Amino acid sequence: MKFRKRIIAGNWKMNKTVSEATELAVAIRQELAETSDVDVVLCPPFTALAAVAESLEGSTISFGAQNMHWEASGAYTGEISPVMLRGLYCHYVILGHSERRTYFGETDEIVNRKAQAALASTLRPIVCVGETLEERESGKHIEIVAKQVHGSLAGIAEADLKNTVLAYEPVWAIGTGLTASPEQAQEMHACIRKELAVLCSQDAADSVRIQYGGSMKPSNAAELLAQPDIDGGLIGGASLEARSFVELVKIAKERN
Ligand code: PEP
């Protein structure tokens, strides 16, 4: 089996002022500054990116944005471009989070444009996919997520795909305290990997890291991360406190 370095990313969503974000980044850095066997990524809101970047300077911890526009510049009031993110030395950008899809009408086509633009600016996209509870109960969840994978990643070249991270986030598990069972998550991760092989190549499929997201916390992470196709976590609530986030990274390290 191909080695895939684990990746734990914190999605802070619309939380933390600049000073709160700095405090959290500094606290995480104190514990994880030299972590090299797990990729650690902090995704604060846009307003705190520069401050978090400064707090992390000289550490191995990366940072990223939670969204971006696909154009480099122009008349898009309120939007942020990939070029601007690179200008802050951002490494990653979360794209197609279910909250973006649900509240801001993001479609697979939009996510695809954003993913292509991110990669063209050497940003690594973390592309989120996942089904709603209704979709799972209808038994169509595998089909629905496969469609999201194909739609969001269409036309991405093999080398770029290898720089892309996927996050399987069942919508019913995000911020709800409900977690997919390790078996449910593994089943979907394996299906996503199979679709990546269809979309691109087996080599790319074996290289791409697929995170699980949805109420992952220290008490359930070990079991999830023990699954062969779960390569890390995209963490919401548990990333807002240094202690739980650091604990999750340590659990991921043990599972390497
Ligand atoms: C998320 O929003 O990406 C997420 C996984 O949130 P939570 O961990 O709070 O469910």
Side-chain angles (χ1 to χ4, degrees), residues 11 13 97 99 169 173-177 213-216 234-238:
N11 173 14
K13 310 196 188 192
H97 189 280
E99 287 149 17
E169 299 207 306
I174 298 179
T176 58
S215 300
M216 194 190 256
L234 181 55
I235 320 295

Side-chain angles (χ1 to χ4, degrees), residues 100-144:
R100 302 285 324 161
R101 292 178 185 261
T102 305
Y103 305 134
F104 303 98
E106 288 197 10
T107 60
D108 291 334
E109 194 198 349
I110 291 173
V111 176
N112 184 246
R113 284 169 101 165
K114 292 184 176 194
Q116 304 254 16
L119 289 159
S121 288
T122 67
L123 282 162
R124 292 170 178 241
I126 299 177
V127 174
C128 304
V129 294
E131 81 287 354
T132 63
L133 188 56
E134 266 181 356
E135 289 166 341
R136 178 163 280 269
E137 285 174 347
S138 75
K140 295 203 171 121
H141 49 294
I142 301 266
E143 195 184 311
I144 281 159

Side-chain angles (χ1 to χ4, degrees), residues 219-240:
S219 59
N220 59 27
E223 264 193 313
L224 287 159
L225 291 168
Q227 303 304 311
D229 287 294
I230 301 185
D231 308 312
L234 181 55
I235 320 295
S239 72
L240 294 173

Side-chain angles (χ1 to χ4, degrees), residues 5-225:
K5 191 175 181 184
R6 299 205 182 261
I7 174 166
I8 300 288
N11 173 14
W12 296 358
K13 310 196 188 192
M14 197 174 71
N15 294 295
K16 307 289 177 192
T17 61
V18 174
S19 58
E20 289 166 348
T22 305
E23 199 179 312
L24 180 54
V26 168
I28 291 171
R29 183 197 170 128
Q30 268 166 8
E31 298 284 334
L32 302 175
E34 280 163 23
T35 303
S36 59
D37 34 12
V38 175
D39 283 337
V40 181
V41 185
L42 307 184
C43 298
F46 287 131
T47 45
L49 270 173
V52 166
E54 202 181 316
S55 310
L56 297 178
E57 217 178 306
S59 78
T60 55
I61 305 172
S62 304
F63 58 97
Q66 301 170 16
N67 177 36
M68 56 163 230
H69 196 274
W70 59 84
E71 292 288 352
S73 63
Y76 298 99
T77 302
E79 292 289 329
I80 304 285
S81 83
V83 178
M84 293 167 181
L85 295 179
R86 276 309 292 164
L88 285 173
Y89 304 103
C90 258
H91 310 101
Y92 289 89
V93 59
I94 299 172
L95 297 176
H97 189 280
S98 70
E99 287 149 17
R100 302 285 324 161
R101 292 178 185 261
T102 305
Y103 305 134
F104 303 98
E106 288 197 10
T107 60
D108 291 334
E109 194 198 349
I110 291 173
V111 176
N112 184 246
R113 284 169 101 165
K114 292 184 176 194
Q116 304 254 16
L119 289 159
S121 288
T122 67
L123 282 162
R124 292 170 178 241
I126 299 177
V127 174
C128 304
V129 294
E131 81 287 354
T132 63
L133 188 56
E134 266 181 356
E135 289 166 341
R136 178 163 280 269
E137 285 174 347
S138 75
K140 295 203 171 121
H141 49 294
I142 301 266
E143 195 184 311
I144 281 159
V145 171
K147 191 163 166 278
Q148 290 176 343
V149 169
H150 283 270
S152 305
L153 302 175
I156 291 179
E158 182 165 1
D160 280 339
L161 195 60
K162 288 180 178 174
N163 284 325
T164 301
V165 176
L166 265 111
Y168 167 56
E169 299 207 306
V171 179
W172 48 273
I174 298 179
T176 58
L178 296 174
T179 317
S181 68
E183 295 74 25
Q184 285 173 321
Q186 167 56 27
E187 180 192 33
M188 187 62 90
H189 280 234
C191 289
I192 292 172
R193 207 174 295 290
K194 205 172 84 206
E195 294 305 327
L196 291 173
V198 174
L199 183 73
C200 189
S201 69
Q202 190 61 52
D203 187 42
D206 289 338
S207 307
V208 171
R209 293 175 295 175
I210 309 176
Q211 298 174 307
Y212 169 80
S215 300
M216 194 190 256
K217 43 188 185 275
S219 59
N220 59 27
E223 264 193 313
L224 287 159
L225 291 168

